[in-house]
Amino acid sequence: MATTHELSETHYFETNPPPSTLPEHTALANSFIKLHHSASRPVVLLTSGGTTVPLENQTVRFIDNFSAGTRGATSAEYFLSQGYAVVFLHRQFSLLPFSRHYSHSTNCFLDFLSEWGRIGEDDEGGKDGEQAATPDVVVKARYRQQMLSVLRKYRKAKEQNLLLLLPFTTVTSYLFTLKMLACQMQCLGNEALFYLAAAVSDFFVPPSRMAEHKIQSGDIPSTDGDGSTGGGKKLVVDLDPVPKFLKRLVEQWAPRAMIVSFKLETDPSMLLSKCRQSLDRYSHHLVIGNLLSTRKREVVFVDRKGLEWIRTPELRDGEEEVEIESLIVPAVIRKHQELLQRQRSGDTNR
Ligand SMILES: CC(C)(COP(=O)(O)O)[C@@H](O)C(=O)NCCC(=O)N[C@@H](CSSC[C@H](N)C(=O)O)C(=O)O
């Protein structure tokens, strides 16, 4: 007998249309996962960015979840550097591994380039004694080492097909694709790792209540629900809860994988209890808690053994900022390797 939760979860997938990208993404994921399974390479499904909740079918307005994609894009680079293949399920147009270093808003790419004319005009120019036949574009000398390092890692990931980029936009496209990927990854058994950093909507507008066209500001339905059009400028949005998919992920979609979820809070007094509540509710392996205001400096690991804070070191003058993901990812990988070791020695506990 299906529980209410399963009905709502099953009902959700039956009543919401799958994304048009699903067939293509399924084929891409299938060959990517087969490639790395045959190479006995661990694969991490890394989700990143915020999901949207459209208010109209022909979407003009939507509710978005906060996430720039920094956590996901940065973590992906560190998983790649540790030998994992990465399925990067990300919000379309959010930050991506490698290119995140030169995004439109920070480190504008063009600031790193100079136009090389005659020698001596620009100390960033080419070799001494040469003169450009025509002005050329060169990377300014002071940026070359850093960019070269990023370029080499980017090229290695591409040439060895270690990074699969799959975009989503809405919460529905995210959930359909997550479910597909989890089922595809079952062949990997416990070599699969789920690192759920995406900011997933908790509420959505069911198709039965979704407007087809742009909601007009003049004819917002009146709040007394009699269907007449009110003259007011209010917009009353009636949302349903998104099914708690994590339980289905743990119990059915990916029963042998290691599953790590992130918990985002803004109130420090709630963080630890919410992390423990999530762990108790879903019985997965690890919850990484973080506060919106300090997410780049500290996170807390909460698992069955207890809790452990991970913090970036205090900066001294002139020191480079430490990316907290350079501490998070190795710690998650250590836990994944410990779990694999335990399972190889016959311990079936999560
Ligand atoms: C989004 C950030 C804070 C990263 O920020 P950027 O670097 O700017 O991208 C990430 O670290 C994070 O907490 N991600 C998880 C946020 C989230 O929505 N977590 C859910 C749990 S997973 S969503 C699953 C669903 N709600 C359920 O309970 O089944 C929550 O807190 O509730």
Side-chain angles (χ1 to χ4, degrees), residues 24-323:
E24 182 200 359
H25 287 178
T26 302
L28 287 171
N30 184 276
S31 50
F32 185 84
I33 291 161
K34 277 184 178 159
L35 170 70
H36 297 296
H37 182 35
S38 60
S40 305
R41 183 177 290 109
V43 178
V44 55
L45 169 55
L46 201 162
T47 67
S48 178
T51 64
T52 67
V53 173
L55 298 185
E56 307 114 341
N57 268 329
Q58 298 190 43
T59 307
V60 169
R61 298 182 182 89
F62 55 87
I63 299 172
D64 205 349
N65 266 45
F66 166 82
S67 174
T70 309
R71 177 79 82 225
T74 309
S75 299
E77 289 182 28
Y78 287 106
F79 275 110
L80 287 163
S81 72
Q82 299 292 314
Y84 279 67
V86 176
V87 179
F88 193 63
L89 179 58
H90 64 286
R91 167 68 178 278
Q92 191 175 37
F93 309 131
S94 67
L95 290 175
L96 293 176
F98 308 116
S99 61
R100 70 178 176 94
H101 297 278
Y102 309 101
S103 70
H104 55 286
S105 54
T106 53
N107 279 345
C108 171
F109 193 83
L110 295 175
D111 292 339
F112 290 75
L113 303 177
S114 65
E115 191 165 351
W116 172 33
R118 295 174 60 81
I119 293 301
E121 281 170 356
D122 176 349
D123 67 353
E124 316 288 357
K127 296 184 189 63
D128 288 342
E130 286 177 22
Q131 181 174 341
T134 54
D136 198 353
V137 173
V138 291
V139 174
K140 291 176 181 174
R142 60 184 177 281
Y143 301 117
R144 279 186 199 137
Q145 279 318 307
Q146 182 215 10
M147 294 183 89
L148 195 55
S149 163
V150 173
L151 176 64
R152 284 176 174 152
K153 291 171 190 168
Y154 167 74
R155 281 189 171 157
K156 178 188 174 192
K158 270 191 88 167
E159 286 156 9
Q160 297 180 20
N161 194 8
L162 293 167
L163 176 62
L164 176 62
L165 302 176
L166 299 178
F168 66 79
T169 303
T170 66
V171 62
T172 298
S173 62
Y174 170 84
L175 290 175
F176 268 99
T177 312
L178 178 71
K179 180 177 180 180
M180 176 274 289
L181 291 167
C183 297
Q184 294 269 357
M185 290 171 67
Q186 284 186 358
C187 64
L188 299 167
N190 49 30
E191 291 287 341
L193 171 62
F194 287 70
Y195 185 92
L196 304 173
V200 183
S201 320
D202 283 319
F203 305 98
F204 78 111
V205 179
S208 58
R209 294 207 300 271
M210 175 85 82
E212 174 60 27
H213 294 287
K214 177 193 161 203
I215 298 168
Q216 299 303 314
S217 55
D219 55 4
I220 301 293
S222 59
T223 51
D224 57 14
D226 65 0
S228 62
T229 57
K233 298 292 180 200
K234 279 199 298 186
L235 172 61
V236 177
V237 185
D238 179 8
L239 301 175
D240 283 357
V242 171
K244 299 298 181 191
F245 69 91
L246 263 180
K247 192 159 189 64
R248 189 54 74 92
L249 180 69
V250 170
E251 292 174 354
Q252 291 189 18
W253 301 348
R256 292 190 296 157
M258 176 169 175
I259 298 174
V260 179
S261 71
F262 279 76
K263 173 57 73 180
L264 173 61
E265 295 298 337
T266 53
D267 179 347
S269 67
M270 295 181 68
L271 184 61
L272 292 179
S273 60
K274 295 291 270 184
C275 288
R276 291 191 184 102
Q277 181 187 78
S278 180
L279 201 65
D280 294 342
R281 176 186 284 183
Y282 302 118
S283 309
H284 51 314
H285 298 86
L286 173 65
V287 180
I288 302 178
N290 54 178
L291 292 171
L292 186 61
S293 56
T294 60
R295 69 187 187 280
K296 293 181 184 288
R297 295 198 308 276
E298 61 178 9
V299 299
V300 59
F301 277 34
V302 178
D303 63 12
R304 268 163 204 74
K305 292 178 188 165
L307 66 92
E308 176 195 0
W309 283 95
I310 291 184
R311 292 185 171 97
T312 55
E314 289 298 321
L315 269 188
R316 296 193 186 90
D317 287 348
E319 280 187 337
E320 281 267 304
E321 186 95 32
V322 171
E323 292 178 322

